[in-house]
Amino acid sequence: MADTIAPEQQGVPLLRRPWSIAAIAVGVAFLVAVPTMPGAWTTPSVWAVVALLGAFLLTESVQWDLEVGKQTVALSPAEIAVVVGLVEVGGTWTAITRVVAIALVLSWQHYPPAKLAFNAALAVTELCAALAVLSLLPPLDITDPVTWLSLVLAILVTGLVGMVGVGVAISVSQGFPGWSFWLSALPNTAVGPLSVVVGVIALLLVEENSWAWTLILPLLLGFVAIFRQSSRASRERRTVQRVYDFARRVELVTPDEAGTREIVSAVRELLNAERVALWLPPYLDEGPQLVVDGEGGLHWYAGPGDPDDLVRRRALAPEADGPVLLSAARADAAELAALARRGAREVLGAPVTTAAGEPGYLEVCDRRSDIVSFASGDRGALDSMLTHVNAAIRQQQLLSQIRHDADHDRLTGLPNRQRLAVEIDAILREDPAGSRAGLVLASLDGYTNVTDTLGHGASDELLVVTAGLLREHAPPSAVVARMEGGQFAVLLPGLSLPATERAARRLREAASTRASVAGLDLEVSLTIGVAAAPVHGSDAGTLIQRADVALLAAHGSGGVATYHPVLDQQSLRRLQLGTELETAMAEGQISVVFQPIVDTRTNDIVSVETLLRWSHPRYGPVPPDDFIGLAEQIGRIGPLTDFVLDRALDRCRRWLDQDIALSVAVNLSARSLSEPDLVDRVRRALRRHGVPGELLTLELTEGSVIEERVRNGTVLADLHALGLRLSMDDFGTGYSSLSLLRQLPLDELKIDKSFVLGMSTSQNESFIARSIVELAHNLGMRVVAEGVEDEVTRDLLTHMGCDKVQGFLVSRPLPEDRLEGWLLARTGVRTAAPGAVHRRLFVRT
């Protein structure tokens, strides 16, 4: 028997409707039965017919269901009864008793009438095919081996006719079912001959001794029981395999909305369901999310998003023990109403654990097959899947939180400089030729004085007030961001330069007010610089830089200034710095400083990070980001990298000469990884100084390793092959994913100091740091926390398993002469550990 006919739907062509297909099947059965059945008429005893009916009832009630999408091929050992019937009562009575048995069994199993008619007609057609085959062969004699072969051939033809009939019905109603359907039906070819063997043995024994039925009946019952148990075991094995496949599939999902949809789709495929919905509560700055995967591109339906829904309320109840199952066959009025609003016959509902602790909700509606329904095994499968679903959702939300925190200001909740640049570039990329956007940079007047006089708490309060004023008075389409210190930015999409200037003046006037801060009535005023695209630049970096130039000019021109090339003193400064870069390295203006890194468990100094400093004779200290970025732009990053690498390895060599093992860490810029001779230069530097590779760590930024040419190239693997260690610096501020971390040959993650500085006062920061530590350890990496400035933060990091720390608590970055003094004053020397070659330094406490 088979699940062949989809539920009748409005608008379905007449030929594809269930009763149409059933009528065609009945017509075919009648046409083949008329010439075949009269010749197979016999007059058996009533008891023989009753016994055959009992055999058919027993065998037809035991099924082995094989689901193929909406189709379910149901195998049964009914061929045993067919063999006995053909030999003992003839073809006509065999057909009659089987049709009666099918009608009784399918009615008891609540099959639709159309399916009952189709399966009864198919059974008659199968028997007619068997009789046609037997009519071409010698008469049946159960003691003759030729008869045994005849019966095998007849049953094989029966199975073939049944398979073809089911396939044709599926093709007519729903389209060609695919080759997987035909492959899944192949077990019929094994069940048929085996049933012939059982039937022939039973008949031979009865032929020899009529009391043999007392032995055959228990044997037949045992065969049926084994068939039933094998069916159950087969389904459980398939479920376990599908759960395993599901777990592997969910591990690879992307941490975005597409990944969530992939999870929902995987659940639907595993349980062969009509529809699956996943509801997630609001998270960060996103609202609640409802993802539905179902037939016909369905995107929404009632129930999962309703907190008062019966199924959802039961599934999320604290006393719920596993997934909740509702079925129309056993539902009360309230449950039937909950099913009706979904248009479903049965529903599985289960809670989902999110990273924030607020529960989500997963709902599965209806098996695609209306023969097989959800059972206890499916509840267990869903329960097993929930472990993987919960892990995947938490992973996605953790990465979302890391990314959210990476491009938002924690104090005001506004986008930060990085996010602003992304927004600007997105607007300008939409229409490179015609896109317009205004950029307003606003500096909070007196911010530094408030900080110095009233402290950081008061200045933070003032920043929050200013952020609120800008959000309130900026146009709805504007993007308000906080840059750094007391500086804000307002991006105005679609505005020309004159419109941006007018908007900037309105913003300054609206934000000029008085606010109560730290018990004092303070005046809020802004100084504003204006730039606009495309007149002042066609990318985020240029636009921000030129707005910043205008902001510098605005301090002496009435509070608002617009960029003009005359104001661009910063460009002249950068040009001069670029021409002096190599001279500065040769004359010692650019130097290397060292910051110790300490093992949290042993207090050993395990490494020092080398950092660059430039003391310019005219401009004073030049920030590293300024001249390193400049070196990348003018193509001089290679010499700068070699300079710091040479100084670092020279210092490491001198420690080795003192029999002390202390590794050095060197930062690599994104541009350096693209240089074709990088690996050779690092190899030569190690050989030149005689330093083993394991005493060198190269620190990479997230942005550099996610570039396609780096991921698809071999530079990281080639560097790692030198024996050195690779560390991902400032983790959490970029866009790396778990799948990327698994692919790269990284040894270490460095938690960005923005997550570390607030750990002692922010539970959210501690949660992020702990998650990164656990993530790194699960991937076989060690973890370094930078920016550790107090004992409370160090203790928290040590407790959560962070391997190393660096920051002002240990030491500020020190020039070489002061580093030596610090080492003499603050450290001791450990003797070499058993099996180790060199001694170690440790910080005295």
Side-chain angles (χ1 to χ4, degrees):
M1 295 184 297
D3 171 12
T4 61
I5 305 171
E8 189 167 344
Q9 299 176 2
Q10 204 170 22
V12 176
L14 180 63
L15 185 61
R16 299 179 63 181
R17 294 182 181 179
W19 272 112
S20 299
I21 298 174
I24 293 172
V26 171
V28 171
F30 180 79
L31 290 176
V32 298
V34 168
T36 306
M37 286 298 176
W41 175 263
T42 59
T43 54
S45 68
V46 174
W47 291 110
V49 174
V50 171
L52 183 62
L53 177 62
F56 273 125
L57 288 172
L58 178 63
T59 55
E60 292 287 354
S61 63
V62 180
Q63 297 178 0
W64 189 334
D65 296 321
L66 296 175
E67 293 181 77
V68 185
K70 291 187 176 182
Q71 294 79 41
T72 302
V73 178
L75 307 181
S76 72
E79 286 83 355
I80 298 175
V82 171
V83 170
V84 174
L86 290 174
V87 175
E88 293 296 323
V89 301
T92 303
W93 282 105
T94 300
I96 293 172
T97 52
R98 189 177 186 191
V99 168
V100 171
I102 288 173
L104 293 174
V105 170
L106 297 192
S107 297
W108 178 71
Q109 293 177 347
H110 305 290
Y111 269 59
K115 282 191 178 179
L116 191 154
F118 175 85
N119 282 284
L122 184 60
V124 172
T125 305
E126 290 174 358
L127 278 169
C128 289
L131 292 173
V133 171
L134 293 176
S135 67
L136 302 176
L137 300 172
L140 296 179
D141 180 1
I142 198 61
T143 60
D144 186 356
V146 175
T147 293
W148 306 345
L149 295 176
S150 300
L151 289 172
V152 169
L153 181 59
I155 293 301
L156 285 174
V157 171
T158 297
L160 179 62
V161 170
M163 189 188 309
V164 171
V166 170
V168 170
I170 292 172
S171 299
V172 170
S173 62
Q174 301 171 27
F176 183 67
W179 294 111
S180 59
F181 166 79
W182 303 101
L183 291 175
S184 67
L186 285 179
N188 267 324
T189 60
V191 174
L194 183 61
S195 299
V196 171
V197 172
V198 175
V200 167
I201 291 174
L203 291 171
L204 287 173
L205 289 174
V206 173
E207 185 80 15
E208 185 68 25
N209 188 335
S210 59
W211 285 100
W213 281 112
T214 58
L215 300 176
I216 294 171
L217 186 59
L219 180 63
L220 181 62
L221 293 174
F223 180 82
V224 171
I226 292 172
F227 191 91
R228 181 191 295 270
Q229 184 61 31
S230 297
S231 171
R232 184 180 296 112
S234 174
R235 183 173 181 181
E236 291 175 355
R237 284 196 302 273
R238 292 198 305 272
T239 299
V240 170
Q241 180 61 43
R242 285 185 293 177
V243 170
Y244 174 73
D245 293 340
F246 172 84
R248 296 191 62 183
R249 179 175 173 182
V250 167
E251 281 181 358
L252 302 176
V253 300
T254 55
D256 51 21
E257 184 176 349
T260 307
R261 192 167 297 280
E262 178 73 11
I263 292 173
V264 174
S265 177
V267 173
R268 179 170 174 251
E269 288 183 20
L270 173 63
L271 294 178
N272 195 28
E274 287 282 356
R275 189 170 53 206
V276 174
L278 175 63
W279 181 87
L280 295 175
Y283 189 70
L284 300 177
D285 54 358
E286 299 177 355
Q289 184 181 14
L290 177 63
V291 179
V292 181
D293 187 69
E295 295 288 338
L298 186 66
H299 296 293
W300 183 89
Y301 70 104
D306 180 6
D308 295 324
D309 180 75
L310 175 66
V311 187
R312 172 176 159 169
R313 196 170 64 246
R314 288 186 183 178
L316 299 185
E319 63 274 12
D321 182 21
V324 172
L325 174 60
L326 259 65
S327 175
R330 298 177 297 276
D332 57 27
E335 293 170 343
L336 286 173
L339 292 171
R341 75 182 303 196
R342 294 164 168 81
R345 302 182 302 275
E346 52 186 354
V347 174
L348 273 171
V352 172
T353 304
T354 62
E358 187 177 352
Y361 173 60
L362 180 69
E363 180 173 283
V364 185
C365 291
D366 290 338
R367 287 195 88 102
R368 298 175 74 192
S369 164
D370 56 4
I371 288 181
V372 179
S373 60
F374 292 132
S376 58
D378 296 305
R379 292 184 65 200
L382 181 59
D383 210 15
S384 300
M385 282 189 295
L386 286 175
T387 302
H388 305 289
V389 171
N390 292 337
I393 295 299
R394 286 198 299 270
Q395 168 188 313
Q396 289 184 311
Q397 292 187 334
L398 170 60
L399 289 176
S400 296
Q401 182 165 2
I402 291 174
R403 291 175 180 175
H404 177 275
D405 290 344
D407 57 17
H408 284 76
D409 175 58
R410 290 177 181 78
L411 177 64
T412 62
L414 296 175
N416 59 15
R417 175 186 288 270
Q418 177 178 303
R419 185 63 192 174
L420 175 68
V422 172
E423 295 287 346
I424 294 173
D425 285 335
I427 292 172
L428 299 182
R429 276 197 304 267
E430 287 181 2
D431 182 9
S435 291
R436 296 190 303 180
L439 181 63
V440 174
L441 284 188
S443 177
L444 182 58
D445 297 337
Y447 171 75
T448 303
N449 292 334
V450 171
T451 303
D452 294 341
T453 306
L454 302 177
H456 287 284
S459 61
D460 287 350
E461 189 176 346
L462 183 59
L463 288 172
V464 172
V465 170
T466 306
L469 289 170
L470 289 174
R471 273 187 295 211
E472 179 182 354
H473 296 289
S477 61
V479 177
V480 181
R482 183 188 172 198
M483 305 299 275
E484 58 275 317
Q487 193 176 106
F488 295 85
V490 182
L491 175 62
L492 302 164
L495 293 194
S496 63
L497 178 57
T500 302
E501 291 173 332
R502 290 193 295 271
R505 289 186 174 86
R506 285 197 299 268
L507 276 173
R508 187 169 187 267
E509 292 172 4
S512 296
T513 183
R514 302 189 68 83
S516 177
V517 175
L520 298 175
D521 192 21
L522 300 181
E523 183 176 350
V524 179
S525 62
L526 300 174
T527 299
I528 288 178
V530 176
V535 63
H536 292 149
S538 58
D539 63 84
T542 303
L543 205 61
I544 293 174
Q545 184 265 338
R546 290 179 173 175
D548 195 40
V549 170
L551 179 61
L552 290 174
H555 287 286
S557 61
V560 178
T562 300
Y563 172 79
H564 190 278
V566 174
L567 303 174
D568 203 356
Q569 297 301 319
Q570 291 293 324
S571 296
L572 295 175
R573 176 176 178 268
R574 285 172 60 83
L575 179 61
Q576 184 172 354
L577 290 176
T579 60
E580 297 176 356
L581 188 62
E582 293 205 34
T583 303
M585 286 189 285
E587 295 180 353
Q589 296 176 24
I590 296 179
S591 60
V592 172
V593 295
F594 302 86
Q595 186 172 32
I597 301 174
V598 176
D599 188 293
T600 56
R601 295 181 297 276
T602 65
N603 234 25
D604 286 355
I605 303 178
V606 292
S607 183
V608 291
E609 182 178 1
T610 54
L611 303 166
L612 284 172
R613 296 291 184 265
W614 187 352
S615 180
H616 195 277
R618 177 181 175 187
Y619 299 121
V622 180
D625 287 345
D626 286 358
F627 67 85
I628 291 174
L630 177 62
E632 286 186 318
Q633 290 181 5
I634 66 176
R636 305 309 296 162
I637 191 63
L640 196 62
T641 300
D642 293 342
F643 175 83
V644 66
L645 186 62
D646 187 69
R647 297 298 187 275
L649 293 178
D650 178 70
R651 178 67 268 182
C652 184
R653 178 67 259 174
R654 279 185 277 160
W655 279 318
L656 283 174
D657 292 340
Q658 299 173 34
D659 198 26
I660 294 174
L662 191 56
S663 69
V664 289
V666 176
N667 291 280
L668 277 187
S669 71
R671 187 68 58 86
S672 294
L673 287 175
S674 302
E675 295 177 325
D677 62 341
L678 174 66
V679 177
D680 290 335
R681 285 168 26 221
V682 173
R683 182 187 294 110
R684 289 196 298 269
L686 289 169
R687 289 176 180 173
R688 184 167 60 250
H689 292 280
V691 175
E694 60 266 19
L695 291 183
L696 174 62
T697 299
L698 296 181
E699 296 189 0
L700 319 169
T701 61
E702 283 191 84
S704 65
V705 298
I706 65 172
E707 288 189 3
E708 185 175 359
R709 57 185 172 182
V710 174
R711 287 188 287 111
N712 295 336
T714 63
V715 61
L716 295 182
D718 293 341
L719 287 171
H720 204 261
L722 298 178
L724 51 80
R725 294 179 173 84
L726 297 179
S727 174
M728 181 178 282
D729 197 10
D730 301 333
F731 179 73
T733 61
Y735 291 91
S736 58
S737 66
L738 291 184
S739 59
L740 178 61
L741 292 181
R742 293 172 59 188
Q743 297 167 12
L744 298 176
L746 298 174
D747 304 287
E748 184 177 271
L749 291 184
K750 292 191 75 171
I751 306 176
D752 185 68
K753 63 182 179 182
S754 61
F755 299 117
V756 176
L757 291 173
M759 282 181 55
S760 59
T761 57
S762 171
Q763 186 176 6
N764 195 35
E765 307 293 342
S766 295
F767 168 75
I768 294 174
R770 182 184 300 275
S771 300
I772 294 175
V773 171
E774 293 176 356
L775 168 66
H777 286 170
N778 288 336
L779 293 174
M781 302 180 195
R782 296 174 70 80
V783 184
V784 182
E786 55 184 357
V788 179
E789 298 185 359
D790 56 75
E791 293 285 353
V792 174
T793 302
R794 178 193 171 110
D795 292 343
L796 286 171
L797 288 165
T798 302
H799 179 70
M800 63 180 63
C802 183
D803 302 290
K804 310 172 192 177
V805 295
Q806 73 179 103
F808 290 175
L809 178 66
V810 179
S811 172
R812 294 175 178 271
L814 302 171
E816 189 170 355
D817 56 344
R818 291 182 58 193
L819 175 67
E820 288 297 326
W822 184 87
L823 292 174
L824 288 173
R826 293 290 308 278
T827 67
V829 181
R830 278 191 218 284
T831 58
V837 178
H838 302 289
R839 299 177 297 164
R840 301 296 295 269
L841 295 177
F842 68 93
V843 179
R844 297 193 188 100
T845 57

